[in-house]
Amino acid sequence: RKEVEQDPGPFNVPEGATVAFNCTYSNSASQSFFWYRQDCRKEPKLLMSVYSSGNEDGRFTAQLNRASQYISLLIRDSKLSDSATYLCVVNEGYSTLTFGKGTMLLVSP
Amino acid sequence: DTGVSQDPRHKITKRGQNVTFRCDPISEHNRLYWYRQTLGQGPEFLTYFQNEAQLEKSRLLSDRFSAERPKGSFSTLEIQRTEQGDSAMYLCASSLITGTYSYEQYFGPGTRLTVT
């Protein structure tokens, strides 16, 4: 069975902290990778795509390790508004997405 | 608003009733997906369309579920003879496929179904 595994958390961090999430996937043929953010009772929203060379968007950095089949997300200088569930998402081909169960982040003042 | 829209946002129904949900994708997107999400889980794939063709269905999509996208624009998801286990958030997403490149999927706000 194709799976995406994440630590459910919650990760409790103070404002300004750096926090990292990891995710592993089982299908070595996976083609593309994403992090989505989901606020409570809302739809998932695309945070960033994850490229083999790694990519950065402001305070957020994503890394992909194909050999070990894991993806990471680093959030620097955490804000209260970063509190959400972060979903690791894998696309095995050019169609459906497989989601992890999500990692909950709680940023406190 | 040019994002993905879904209707209704909430639906409460009694067990055994039929329900139908609608999704309007982003206008230039040729792919449309349906997912189901329950509490504490990530979204689970149900089915997807490319234009009007239904290209894949998950084993989660029992015979009581049917989806259509008759003109390659909006889509409907119908659940017949609803069961309490059908209670979930039903999410629609759309994306653009050009050649072999698949762009990111964008989600609608979902329809929350409660079966009593």
Side-chain angles (χ1 to χ4, degrees), chain A residues 43, chain B residues 2-9 20-27 29-35 47-49 51 66-78 90-95 105-111:
Chain A
E43 74 273 21
Chain B
T2 56
V4 179
S5 62
Q6 292 186 245
D7 183 69
R9 296 290 302 277
T20 300
F21 309 141
R22 177 180 169 124
C23 171
D24 287 87
I26 294 171
S27 59
H29 285 185
N30 50 10
R31 281 205 175 173
L32 186 150
Y33 308 79
W34 285 99
Y35 293 85
T47 187
Y48 87 92
F49 295 83
N51 300 313
S66 62
E68 294 182 341
R69 194 184 183 197
K71 298 182 179 179
S73 56
F74 73 92
S75 175
T76 58
L77 177 68
E78 181 183 18
Y90 289 84
L91 291 160
C92 176
S94 70
S95 71
Q105 295 184 20
Y106 293 88
F107 284 80
T111 294

Side-chain angles (χ1 to χ4, degrees), chain B residues 3-69:
Chain B
V4 179
S5 62
Q6 292 186 245
D7 183 69
R9 296 290 302 277
H10 304 274
K11 179 70 178 180
I12 300 174
T13 191
K14 292 184 177 180
R15 188 176 54 190
Q17 297 295 305
N18 298 345
V19 293
T20 300
F21 309 141
R22 177 180 169 124
C23 171
D24 287 87
I26 294 171
S27 59
E28 62 268 26
H29 285 185
N30 50 10
R31 281 205 175 173
L32 186 150
Y33 308 79
W34 285 99
Y35 293 85
R36 181 174 69 185
Q37 186 174 25
T38 54
L39 195 63
Q41 304 293 317
E44 295 175 294
F45 167 75
L46 293 177
T47 187
Y48 87 92
F49 295 83
Q50 180 156 328
N51 300 313
E52 65 275 10
Q54 188 172 19
L55 297 186
E56 189 174 343
K57 292 193 288 187
S58 161
R59 58 182 171 77
L60 293 175
L61 211 68
S62 76
D63 292 344
R64 298 185 296 105
F65 288 69
S66 62
E68 294 182 341
R69 194 184 183 197

Side-chain angles (χ1 to χ4, degrees), chain A residues 57-92:
Chain A
D57 182 3
R59 298 182 293 109
F60 298 84
T61 301
Q63 297 279 352
L64 168 63
N65 185 319
R66 284 189 182 271
S68 301
Q69 295 181 205
Y70 83 77
I71 307 152
S72 65
L73 177 68
L74 182 77
I75 305 175
R76 291 180 298 277
D77 188 23
S78 299
K79 311 293 185 188
L80 294 176
S81 57
D82 293 334
S83 297
T85 295
Y86 291 83
L87 298 163
C88 176
V89 187
V90 173
N91 187 334
E92 276 90 18

